[in-house]
Amino acid sequence: MTTEILMPRLSETMADGKILSWHKKINDRVNKGDVIAEVETDKANMEIEAVDSGILSEILVSEGQTAKVGDPIAVLNGKSIKAEPEKIKPAEIKETFEEEKIQPETERKVEKAEKTQAKASPFAKKLAEKMNIDLSLIKGTGPGGRIRERDVQEYSEEVKKQPQEKKNIQPLSKMRRTIASRMSESKKIIPHFYATYEVNANKLIVYRDNLVKNNKDITYNDIFIKAVALNLKKHAIFNSSFEVDHIEIKENINIGIAFTADEGLLVPVIHDSDKKTLEEISIATKTIKERVKNNKLKPEDMTGGTFTISNMGMYGVKEFVVIINPPETAGLAVGSIMKTPVIKDDQVTVGSVVNITLSADHRVVDGATVALFLRDLKEILENPDEIL
Amino acid sequence: MFKIEKLGLIDFQKALEYQNKLVSLKQNGSKINYFLMMEHEHVFTMGKGANLKNILDKNISTIVTNRGGDITYHGPGQLTGYIILDLRSNKFDLYGFLSYIELLIINVLEKLDINAYQIEGLRGVWAEGKKVASIGIGVKKGITMHGFALNVNPDLAYFSKIKPCGLDSKNISSIAELKKENFTVETVQELFIQQFPEFFE
């Protein structure tokens, strides 16, 4: 059976890895557990072991090249036995010297070897690489549409003549790259759906004001963490992750709180949020904030989250939706506490409300389950002095 | 369980052979983890993915080894620490492990009143905008080797023969330079012995 060997995820936030060396050659027998390659990621040189056995039929990523996590890097038991890439074959070397008087036989060989790429002479390829030109954009004038060196030159002249658009290029920071890949992965894989509840915040404001008056420096965030943690105890299905053929309900309730940092965002985790008192949660969030400031976050501050809360209240956002932070099942978006006309006993009065929106993974939960979760959370937030 | 060993001044290759021996012991089931501390004789080493452009003085010889990262210099006055442990049975995440090594160094430097920090996206330990310690590990079937190199009071001129980890050698500093007084590797080594268990036991 043909099996692809994939770039393994060697660390939770690993995005890609560079192949440093292959320990197996094409046609080598690979047994499960054999070291097949060395991969570099973030200052670590890791040996990669085979998870399947078979004959190595194809190497897709050659030494010195980088592949994304999950991308195929080699093939076991494939049909066609191809030579390793980047090793110049005798036929190609010959070609280099006989570029002008093209021999039909050599020509055919080259075409066969490069089925997937644009057909081009080695000189043309070298030049294109030097000039950073994508060969597939060039129309070849050689036999069979083959691209010659001259075509590349002409193309580059052509491009130079065209008015250049000024581009302001901002390179991606590592954090930006991690956010980009995690968020796209989440949206690609998780079927998101959303539900919003309006919560009456009158009692919540009084509750927090009283805490502050008693010299307890508790933020709304702390209260939301505690409220959600309590609610997750009742609705454990939201404290889970979807695995290939099952749902794993997590034992601990570790709430992550999305947090703006220098060039992106961090989601530090309050471990065992349900077992902590409001004061303890407040101390934990303060400690983490301090560590973020001093660049002293510990790895465990960032890992093991089971549910994420994102609060944009301080920015005056009325309501919004979050992208689920994988592998979690749901995330909560908390808007601003806003004054609004409230109808009470058929009279219009001024009240305070806050909109909460849950994003949930439809593979795990359905609409009614989400409604119940939000209804109970609303109940907690509307009666904080009785419940928290 | 960790065994902490002080190897003194030792040739890089000899220390590498010793590391390889300990790694194979662990691959064969030994439960003992090791934290080795030493100084090397003058040597330039590079990871397999290193960029040859980072060798500025073409007369120097380098040793290519199985640690991650680019070219660097080791020599007397620099404390190198190697950690041999099983990532899998110790449930360490790879990046987390690298970060822990940095945090260990930051804590040791704190004891010397040096405010050191990590930089997102760059490995190593930094103070006053310069790099004082480099990180690079190798992992063989789940067993770690290599580790860190902390400049205590080495002759920093050696770094100018290369672009250490692709950086300009001006960006490399040492404890002695930061504190403007001399420090011995022994003093710093003792601090590591005190701090190590907090992070890795």
Side-chain angles (χ1 to χ4, degrees):
Chain A
M1 197 184 72
T2 307
T3 319
E4 281 181 336
I5 299 174
L6 309 178
M7 173 61 73
R9 188 182 296 282
L10 303 167
S11 186
E12 204 168 329
T13 53
M14 172 173 165
D16 49 33
K18 176 169 154 190
I19 301 280
L20 293 175
S21 68
W22 281 101
H23 286 214
K24 298 278 179 186
K25 297 189 301 289
I26 305 280
N27 289 337
D28 274 0
R29 166 96 209 151
V30 173
N31 291 315
K32 191 178 164 179
D34 282 356
V35 174
I36 47 168
E38 282 172 56
V39 166
E40 184 173 54
T41 176
D42 200 12
K43 300 268 172 176
N45 166 326
M46 296 281 286
E47 286 185 346
I48 305 288
E49 292 154 53
V51 284
D52 299 292
S53 303
I55 304 291
L56 187 68
S57 53
E58 219 177 324
I59 286 178
L60 304 170
V61 179
S62 49
E63 292 177 2
Q65 289 187 333
T66 300
K68 286 204 191 91
V69 167
D71 278 1
I73 55 173
V75 179
L76 286 181
N77 305 332
K79 263 184 232 150
S80 60
I81 311 268
K82 287 186 199 162
E84 248 174 281
E86 289 213 339
K87 290 224 170 113
I88 300 171
K89 284 156 280 172
E92 273 185 331
I93 295 168
K94 202 171 160 199
E95 245 280 316
T96 316
F97 293 105
E98 292 171 4
E99 212 237 344
E100 291 316 313
K101 29 174 185 159
I102 296 140
Q103 293 184 337
E105 210 196 326
T106 349
E107 177 72 9
R108 228 178 293 135
K109 272 188 201 161
V110 174
E111 270 185 42
K112 207 175 163 190
E114 291 162 2
K115 228 183 239 164
T116 50
Q117 294 170 16
K119 286 173 276 177
S121 79
F123 278 131
K125 272 201 267 179
K126 216 172 265 171
L127 187 67
E129 200 186 312
K130 213 168 102 192
M131 301 176 108
N132 209 4
I133 291 172
D134 180 358
L135 274 176
S136 64
L137 300 173
I138 302 176
K139 208 167 166 248
T141 57
R146 188 158 164 279
I147 300 161
R148 296 166 151 182
E149 195 182 357
R150 208 175 39 215
D151 299 329
V152 179
Q153 264 158 0
E154 276 166 14
Y155 178 83
S156 92
E157 298 292 315
E158 200 65 29
V159 170
K160 268 184 214 152
K161 272 183 228 152
Q162 286 168 7
Q164 285 280 316
E165 229 182 288
K166 264 205 180 157
K167 283 180 188 161
N168 183 353
I169 289 169
Q170 196 177 355
L172 290 180
S173 70
K174 196 172 162 197
M175 191 192 281
R176 203 67 256 157
R177 220 179 314 149
T178 308
I179 294 170
S181 78
R182 282 181 71 91
M183 291 298 103
S184 342
E185 193 188 347
S186 172
K187 268 279 183 167
K188 234 182 278 169
I189 296 170
I190 303 177
H192 286 63
F193 75 109
Y194 319 94
T196 304
Y197 258 65
E198 187 180 275
V199 174
N200 182 325
N202 290 343
K203 283 192 196 165
L204 186 65
I205 295 169
V206 174
Y207 179 70
R208 199 235 167 185
D209 284 352
N210 281 336
L211 286 169
V212 174
K213 263 182 223 147
N214 288 318
N215 286 323
K216 286 181 180 160
D217 184 15
I218 308 273
T219 63
Y220 282 111
N221 258 344
D222 299 334
I223 300 173
F224 278 109
I225 294 171
K226 181 73 195 167
V228 169
L230 271 183
N231 204 39
L232 282 172
K233 266 176 104 166
K234 186 168 170 193
H235 300 270
I237 190 73
F238 289 90
N239 196 56
S240 70
S241 65
F242 183 86
E243 306 294 335
V244 182
D245 58 353
H246 62 275
I247 294 161
E248 187 185 332
I249 296 184
K250 310 283 181 180
E251 228 171 90
N252 299 321
I253 296 177
N254 305 331
I255 294 187
I257 185 105
F259 215 108
T260 317
D262 280 350
E263 353 165 80
L265 97 162
L266 292 171
V267 187
V269 175
I270 311 294
H271 289 265
D272 293 319
S273 310
D274 58 319
K275 298 196 184 83
K276 288 192 165 77
T277 63
L278 255 182
E279 282 82 1
E280 285 167 340
I281 288 175
S282 158
I283 291 167
T285 52
K286 277 201 198 88
T287 313
I288 284 181
K289 269 186 203 158
E290 198 59 30
R291 286 186 192 153
V292 170
K293 223 171 76 194
N294 298 325
N295 247 319
K296 282 191 179 169
L297 271 182
K298 299 195 169 193
E300 68 260 27
D301 291 337
M302 304 291 292
T303 51
T306 58
F307 186 101
T308 299
I309 301 176
S310 185
N311 183 352
M312 296 235 275
M314 54 295 234
Y315 303 113
V317 171
K318 186 182 169 199
E319 59 176 272
F320 66 107
V321 293
V322 296
I323 296 178
I324 296 167
N325 187 14
E328 296 167 10
T329 282
L332 189 75
V334 179
S336 287
I337 297 177
M338 290 181 162
K339 288 228 162 116
T340 185
V342 173
I343 297 166
K344 202 178 169 189
D345 305 327
D346 281 346
Q347 296 283 314
V348 179
T349 59
V350 174
S352 291
V353 295
V354 56
N355 286 311
I356 55 173
T357 304
L358 192 78
S359 303
D361 183 344
H362 218 320
R363 296 171 304 177
V364 181
V365 287
D366 305 316
T369 331
V370 166
L372 289 178
F373 176 90
L374 282 173
R375 198 193 58 192
D376 284 341
L377 183 59
K378 176 181 154 88
E379 180 71 25
I380 297 172
L381 293 170
E382 288 185 348
N383 302 287
D385 42 351
E386 292 158 39
I387 302 168
L388 289 180
Chain B
M1 208 201 49
F2 262 97
K3 229 175 127 181
I4 300 183
E5 292 184 10
K6 296 190 258 184
L7 304 183
L9 185 65
I10 182 173
D11 178 64
F12 181 85
Q13 288 286 20
K14 259 197 192 142
L16 184 60
E17 277 165 33
Y18 185 54
Q19 286 198 77
N20 280 329
K21 198 183 102 187
L22 299 179
V23 169
S24 68
L25 279 179
K26 286 200 66 68
Q27 282 175 346
N28 290 319
S30 162
K31 292 274 175 280
I32 305 168
N33 297 318
Y34 294 86
F35 177 41
L36 311 175
M37 281 184 290
M38 72 216 77
E39 288 170 81
H40 288 309
E41 312 274 7
H42 300 288
V43 66
F44 293 94
T45 70
M46 51 207 283
K48 287 187 184 168
N51 190 338
L52 296 176
K53 284 187 193 141
N54 291 331
I55 306 176
L56 300 177
D57 180 344
K58 303 295 174 198
N59 293 320
I60 62 168
S61 64
T62 58
I63 297 174
V64 177
T65 177
N66 72 316
R67 74 160 162 76
D70 211 292
I71 188 160
T72 197
Y73 160 80
H74 301 299
Q78 184 192 63
L79 176 66
T80 39
Y82 295 152
I83 300 172
I84 319 282
L85 80 84
D86 186 346
L87 278 183
R88 294 167 196 170
S89 62
N90 285 278
K91 296 205 171 124
F92 262 115
D93 180 70
L94 177 65
Y95 290 4
F97 176 70
L98 291 166
S99 187
Y100 257 75
I101 299 177
E102 290 165 349
L103 292 170
L104 166 67
I105 299 167
I106 287 170
N107 264 266
V108 165
L109 293 176
E110 211 164 61
K111 298 275 173 274
L112 298 170
D113 285 324
I114 294 173
N115 187 16
Y117 46 89
Q118 296 169 301
I119 296 183
E120 172 78 31
L122 288 173
R123 282 282 169 212
V125 173
W126 303 70
E128 296 178 17
K130 293 183 172 190
K131 196 174 177 183
V132 279
S134 311
I135 307 289
I137 67 160
V139 186
K140 286 183 161 185
K141 294 206 168 186
I143 315 290
T144 63
M145 59 189 291
H146 302 292
F148 67 85
L150 169 64
N151 296 326
V152 180
N153 60 349
D155 182 353
L156 292 176
Y158 281 93
F159 282 102
S160 64
K161 294 177 187 296
I162 56 172
K163 286 183 85 179
C165 291
L167 296 169
D168 192 303
S169 61
K170 284 198 301 258
N171 297 319
I172 303 293
S173 191
S174 66
I175 294 178
E177 192 182 72
L178 289 166
K179 297 292 291 181
K180 300 189 176 57
E181 59 178 296
N182 219 349
F183 271 88
T184 61
V185 167
E186 283 71 32
T187 331
V188 181
Q189 202 163 255
E190 289 314 308
L191 291 173
F192 271 98
I193 294 173
Q194 288 167 26
Q195 298 290 315
F196 189 81
E198 195 188 316
F199 287 86
F200 289 98
E201 293 281 15

